[in-house]
Amino acid sequence: MFSLNLPLRYRIALTIFVLQTVVMSLTLGVTLSFSHNSAKSQLELDEALILNLLTDLSLVSLFTEEFDELQYHMEQVTLDPHVVKIYLVNEQGKVVISTEFDHLGEVLPELSVDNNRTWKQREMTGAGLLAIQFSNERLQSSLQAVINMGIWIALASLTLVTIAGLTFGHLLTRKLSILKDKAGRFARGDLLGRIGFSGKDEISVVGQAFDQMAEKISVNFMLLEKARDELELRVEERTQELVQLNSRLSMISKTDSLTAIANRGYFDT
């Protein structure tokens, strides 16, 4: 996967790290999306429940024009950080109940919208309007908590994967390192070194084949050295024989074979 000039063990660890990073990123993305949608759905259910409950109470209060008890209930509801403001408007468009007393008896103010807060309204035909402002901070806090937890889990997982990758790379390349070292020493003339791998995995089989090859080469080399020594000995023996033969021929050429007296050739010399 990588063409970097790195040892094989580090390339294996780096490959595992990159693959795990991709998997963790995809998993974290799916988890965040699922958690966000789940938290959003739960908040929408809670908001719908609050809106339905207050709508029923508001209808009774608008018809009876008794707002004190409902005012108390709405103030209790706003104790929940998720609920920011509540307005109840009668059919004349006047605010009859509000968590902000400055607006009581006035026309409903403009319902401003921003990213952190949303308004939900329930129009009660012939009675009035209920408007509740909800905060999105709970959803954002929940999402941020999931992100933080996911980051810590990802960091811990990547750390463990890195350690596991380095360990796995070392274990996987340990035999290759031994095989490389023995092959280098064999190439430099150390014919007695053997790898000695046992097992049936591919690297062990290669090591065993190397040992068999080294054994045959060692035997053949020893036979070759023995043959060379024998050849040198024979050459030396033949050389001595030739020296003796030449000396004998020289004597024959200088003496008479019958009387063993120096002949005319020796005399001329």
Side-chain angles (χ1 to χ4, degrees):
M1 184 174 180
F2 298 97
S3 59
L4 301 176
N5 189 20
L6 292 174
L8 180 59
R9 68 183 67 180
Y10 296 124
R11 280 186 281 170
I12 293 173
L14 187 58
T15 301
I16 295 175
F17 178 82
V18 171
L19 293 177
Q20 182 64 19
T21 301
V22 173
V23 173
M24 286 298 300
S25 299
L26 294 175
T27 303
L28 185 59
V30 173
T31 302
L32 288 177
S33 178
F34 176 79
S35 299
H36 177 73
N37 293 334
S38 178
K40 186 176 180 181
S41 298
Q42 184 60 46
L43 283 178
E44 288 177 350
L45 290 175
D46 295 342
E47 292 170 359
L49 179 62
I50 293 173
L51 193 60
N52 291 334
L53 178 61
L54 292 182
T55 298
D56 295 337
L57 295 175
S58 297
L59 280 172
V60 175
S61 297
L62 287 171
F63 286 131
T64 60
E65 296 186 354
E66 294 290 337
F67 303 115
D68 293 339
E69 185 176 356
L70 182 57
Q71 176 72 39
Y72 171 77
H73 288 306
M74 288 188 175
E75 291 175 358
Q76 294 298 312
V77 170
T78 55
L79 294 177
D80 184 350
H82 186 54
V83 181
V84 182
K85 299 178 184 177
I86 301 176
Y87 291 123
L88 178 61
V89 182
N90 59 18
E91 60 182 344
Q92 286 79 31
K94 302 295 183 178
V95 177
V96 293
I97 294 180
S98 173
T99 53
E100 295 184 345
F101 300 107
D102 295 340
H103 297 291
L104 289 175
E106 298 180 358
V107 179
L108 180 67
E110 182 181 357
L111 303 179
S112 59
V113 179
D114 57 44
N115 294 330
N116 296 325
R117 297 176 180 180
T118 56
W119 284 96
K120 290 194 175 181
Q121 304 178 35
R122 181 67 58 82
E123 187 173 353
M124 295 166 283
T125 306
L129 174 70
L130 176 65
I132 304 177
Q133 186 182 45
F134 294 100
S135 172
N136 294 327
E137 292 181 0
R138 181 185 298 178
L139 180 61
Q140 294 173 354
S141 298
S142 175
L143 181 61
Q144 188 61 44
V146 174
I147 291 175
N148 293 337
M149 182 176 64
I151 291 174
W152 281 110
I153 292 175
L155 290 175
S157 300
L158 291 177
T159 301
L160 292 176
V161 166
T162 302
I163 295 173
L166 291 172
T167 303
F168 177 73
H170 173 72
L171 293 176
L172 186 62
T173 58
R174 182 176 60 87
K175 288 186 175 181
L176 289 176
S177 298
I178 296 174
L179 183 60
K180 175 186 174 183
D181 178 67
K182 293 295 184 181
R185 294 175 62 181
F186 188 83
R188 292 190 295 269
D190 183 8
L191 304 181
L192 299 179
R194 298 293 181 268
I195 297 175
F197 286 163
S198 60
K200 297 183 179 180
D201 58 278
E202 290 80 357
I203 300 178
S204 297
V205 172
V206 172
Q208 293 164 11
F210 179 87
D211 284 347
Q212 294 175 2
M213 178 191 69
E215 185 66 27
K216 290 181 179 179
I217 292 176
S218 298
V219 171
N220 292 333
F221 186 78
M222 292 175 62
L223 292 176
L224 183 61
E225 283 193 332
K226 183 178 180 181
R228 184 194 63 186
D229 293 340
E230 292 178 353
L231 180 60
E232 290 179 350
L233 181 60
R234 289 182 181 180
V235 169
E236 185 177 356
E237 291 176 351
R238 291 292 184 271
T239 301
Q240 293 295 328
E241 291 177 357
L242 287 174
V243 170
Q244 294 176 2
L245 181 60
N246 286 332
S247 178
R248 184 179 178 186
L249 288 174
S250 178
M251 290 298 297
I252 292 174
S253 65
K254 294 178 180 179
T255 58
D256 182 72
S257 58
L258 179 61
T259 63
I261 301 173
N263 58 17
R264 176 66 181 270
Y266 182 75
F267 175 77
D268 292 340
T269 301

